[in-house]
Amino acid sequence: MTATLDAADVAALGPAAAVAAVREALAGGLDPDGGVPRTAVPLAHGQGLLMPAEYGGWYGVKVATVAPGNPARGLRRINATYLLHDSATLTPVALLDGVALTALRTPAVSVAACLERLRALAARYGGLRLVVFGAGPQGEGHVAAVRAHVPVADVTVVTRRGGAVPGWADRRPAAGDRDVAAAVRRAQVVVTATSAREPVLDGRLLSDEAVVLAVGSHEPDVREVDGALMGRATVLVESRETALREAGDVVLAVREGALDPDSLVTLADLTDGGAVAPAGRPLVVKTCGMGWQDLVVAVAAHRRKEGTPGERR
């Protein structure tokens, strides 16, 4: 019988367990470059995405759609469903809410990639100052994931026109407000989680110790972070191949000559101990989203609901 996990079931896993699932998979030998690339399907009113992956005795696929016109209709821009299978028999095991899964796994990957840096900053300051560009689920999810691991002193969420302050933030200035630049200068962590197609902040403003979690784009001609920042930062990506194919923040900075593609650090590099992000320069964690991330978090959510710990082989 195929189990069903609705949005509440998926969210119940929580950010700390989701981060642990990502880190455990990487430590266990998962190779981000070994998976099947995402398939993007152009549609009349947006884009379809197919994201399959197999690891640890499980196979899963996320089917997602991106409809840019939906917010004007009062509908979600992104919709998704995830189907999890047993690898041995290839029978369906669970059907999960893909939107909730994406909202959980994306910040989990961001935090898993830089957790040691976040802990070091928190030890220095006691509580971190965050600036979040975008008030949607990913902005909120990243704040929750950071808070699940280190103290947070202050959160500024920046949107195009300001508006009501969400419960997870302390203030919400509009993008053009004078105090946004000051907040970015003070921030230890900046999150860019928007649908913008051009940079949303001036990379020269960030301190040398800042961490930037850039998650809003997965298209080669779209970026939220400018070349000025990418050129002075250590740039950490899920997979070099994926980044150079899909991450506009990376692709455009390379095209401009601001970023050397050979300097990219990957999750596998960090896991293998072959690379260390130096403390004297900003750290940009640029993720596009990959199928293995959905899989390992989906498995963790399924196990939690079914009460079946342990890895399947």
Side-chain angles (χ1 to χ4, degrees):
M1 180 177 177
T2 303
T4 300
L5 280 72
D6 63 15
D9 292 325
V10 175
L13 178 65
V19 169
V22 172
R23 288 171 68 90
E24 287 167 9
L26 291 166
L30 184 147
D31 178 10
D33 280 316
V36 179
R38 175 196 350 245
T39 298
V41 182
L43 302 174
H45 298 288
Q47 185 183 62
L49 300 171
L50 303 176
M51 300 178 64
E54 182 177 15
Y55 175 72
W58 303 91
Y59 165 72
V61 60
K62 183 165 73 177
V63 180
T65 56
V66 183
N70 272 6
R73 302 184 181 100
L75 301 173
R76 292 191 304 204
R77 179 174 176 267
I78 297 175
N79 288 278
T81 301
Y82 196 85
L83 184 58
L84 180 66
H85 303 72
D86 178 303
S87 270
T89 63
L90 298 181
T91 55
V93 173
L95 183 68
L96 295 85
D97 185 295
V99 173
L101 179 61
T102 303
L104 187 61
R105 67 84 155 133
T106 303
V109 175
S110 295
V111 171
C114 63
L115 184 53
E116 286 74 18
R117 177 84 163 243
L118 294 178
R119 285 172 171 163
L121 288 169
R124 183 180 308 162
Y125 292 101
L128 302 185
R129 294 190 182 94
L130 274 62
V131 174
V132 182
F133 288 83
Q138 284 300 336
E140 180 178 6
H142 276 75
V143 172
V146 173
R147 277 192 168 127
H149 293 85
V150 296
V152 171
D154 185 80
V155 179
T156 298
V157 57
V158 182
T159 55
R160 288 189 182 96
R161 288 175 287 275
V165 181
W168 48 270
D170 297 291
R171 66 194 63 80
R172 183 178 176 172
D177 288 359
R178 185 178 305 173
D179 56 353
V180 171
V184 170
R185 287 190 180 96
R186 292 193 301 267
Q188 286 84 44
V189 180
V190 174
V191 179
T192 61
T194 74
S195 59
R197 303 187 69 85
E198 299 291 339
V200 296
L201 76 159
D202 182 346
R204 296 170 298 181
L205 297 175
L206 283 107
S207 71
D208 288 339
E209 66 185 2
V211 175
V212 178
L213 308 177
V215 300
S217 72
H218 61 266
E219 300 171 74
D221 59 347
V222 176
R223 65 179 174 184
E224 299 173 295
V225 177
D226 61 19
L229 176 59
M230 299 296 272
R232 59 184 281 248
T234 298
V235 180
L236 174 59
V237 297
E238 302 135 302
S239 149
R240 187 172 287 103
E241 180 181 335
T242 298
L244 293 173
R245 182 179 62 243
E246 300 181 6
D249 306 77
V250 171
V251 172
L252 295 174
V254 169
R255 188 178 301 167
E256 294 166 352
L259 177 65
D260 179 356
D262 291 335
S263 71
L264 295 173
V265 179
T266 69
L267 289 176
D269 292 334
L270 292 182
T271 303
D272 293 342
V276 177
R281 57 192 303 183
L283 173 64
V284 174
V285 179
K286 172 54 196 169
T287 61
C288 297
M290 299 178 70
W292 65 267
Q293 302 161 4
D294 294 303
L295 178 63
V296 298
V297 175
V299 169
H302 171 62
R303 284 178 173 153
R304 179 193 176 279
K305 185 173 182 183
E306 297 299 306
T308 54
E311 184 175 0
R312 178 174 298 185
R313 291 292 183 186

